Amino acid sequence: MTALNVKEIYHDLHQIPELGLEEYKTSAYLADALEKLGYDVTRNVGVTGVVGIEKGEEEGPVMLLRADMDALPFIINGEHVNIHACGHDAHSAMLLAAASILKGKIKRGTLKILFQPAEETLKGALGIIDAGVLEDVDLALGLHIRPVQDIPFGTLSPGVKHSSSTFVKVVLRGRSAHASRPHLGVNTIEAAAAIIHSVGAIKMNPNFSWSCKPTIINGGGTATNIIPDYTSMMFDIRSQTNEIMSELLERFQKVVHCVAEAFEAEAEIIFPGGVIPAAVLDDELTAEVAESIKEVVGAENLMPVLNNTGGEDFHYFANKYPNLKAAYFGVGVAAEPGLHDPNMHFNIEGLQNGVDVLVNMTLKKLG
Ligand SMILES: [Zn+2]
Ligand SMILES: [Zn+2]
């Protein structure tokens, strides 16, 4: 079996950017290629996901390699366009290239290749979990290209520690009144202002990173002389660990309810997207990834573990299955100006390193 070329796969996938749960062409391309390689392939997993399985002769662990597939939506010159601005085409390309090298080399255990949909909407991983793909998985390995600000080109980081994140909607209901008689109303804009101020006074342990800030506010109608009885707000909340997140959310909700009550307004708190768990990476597995990186690119190109304030739904896997050992490494490809920028570009010559680490790690466990 000849190995597939990661750059060629990348070029093919880059031409067909599709949004989360709409990765029809992308998933068909990947599933067809896996099937051609001889993997046992299941399509339409969690809507558009693809799983390829290869079993070894001997007993051993079930190891999952995961890449995401979705692109991001932009409006450019008034037109809606999808762009692979987070490099998920590169991730799928690296995983498919690795799968082509690994075919026929699995001696023990089971290799599961997962092409996951809808990472950007943070919904894809949950669909994969609901489909039962993680039930028997012992080890899970994910990867992401890194921007030039994180690590230099040609280097790799053995761990990317994403944060826990959530967005919270706060709806305030008060009482409308003529603005000349404000004492008869309950002004939700004033209550919202007090809530924002009070939330800003919440303090968590400064040794860990966390943040909690309003990002959207809508209140009042169109009349300037009516006391507004409805205001809604969005807060973006993040923290480095799951423990800090639960404490922060507890305090946040207490502040919102207490301040609203002081204004005689009613507060409703909604979590439209749930709470994305922070990375819980297995130390031992991460150390093995570091070994792999050294073997592939040399010790001088091994970077430290990266803390990241972004979210990543891969971490639902270890969150829902506490016995699962997870690792997640970063591939230095000098992505500029940054991820999620419509002009994001990077040096594709760095992708082979990601392929080689995936292969090296898998053979360590299943070879
Ligand atoms: Zn992204
Ligand atoms: Zn991404």
Side-chain angles (χ1 to χ4, degrees), residues 158-234:
V160 184
K161 283 196 163 174
H162 296 96
S163 298
S164 174
S165 62
T166 186
F167 51 98
V168 186
K169 186 173 187 179
V170 175
V171 174
L172 297 172
R173 292 187 180 85
R175 194 164 53 243
S176 170
H178 194 290
S180 65
R181 297 186 185 89
H183 59 293
L184 299 180
V186 171
N187 189 329
T188 54
I189 289 182
E190 287 174 341
I195 287 171
I196 291 170
H197 192 74
S198 305
V199 162
I202 296 174
K203 297 288 176 280
M204 304 297 292
N205 185 343
N207 290 321
F208 299 94
S209 76
W210 56 274
S211 72
C212 177
K213 60 278 170 190
T215 49
I216 299 174
I217 180 164
N218 285 301
T222 50
T224 59
N225 55 0
I226 298 175
I227 299 299
D229 65 349
Y230 182 94
T231 297
S232 73
M233 296 182 277
M234 279 289 191

Side-chain angles (χ1 to χ4, degrees), residues 163-166 168 202-205 208-212 237-255 269 271 274-278 319:
S163 298
S164 174
S165 62
T166 186
V168 186
I202 296 174
K203 297 288 176 280
M204 304 297 292
N205 185 343
F208 299 94
S209 76
W210 56 274
S211 72
C212 177
I237 303 179
R238 288 161 195 272
S239 77
Q240 203 180 322
T241 68
N242 293 315
E243 293 72 26
I244 293 172
M245 181 56 109
S246 45
E247 196 183 331
L248 181 53
L249 288 179
E250 213 171 286
R251 291 203 201 176
F252 172 83
Q253 295 180 78
K254 199 168 169 189
V255 165
I269 299 175
F271 293 84
V275 180
I276 311 304
N319 190 263

Side-chain angles (χ1 to χ4, degrees), residues 72 86 88 119-120 144 340:
L72 285 156
C86 202
H88 297 187
E119 191 283 326
E120 293 295 353
H144 207 295
H340 288 213

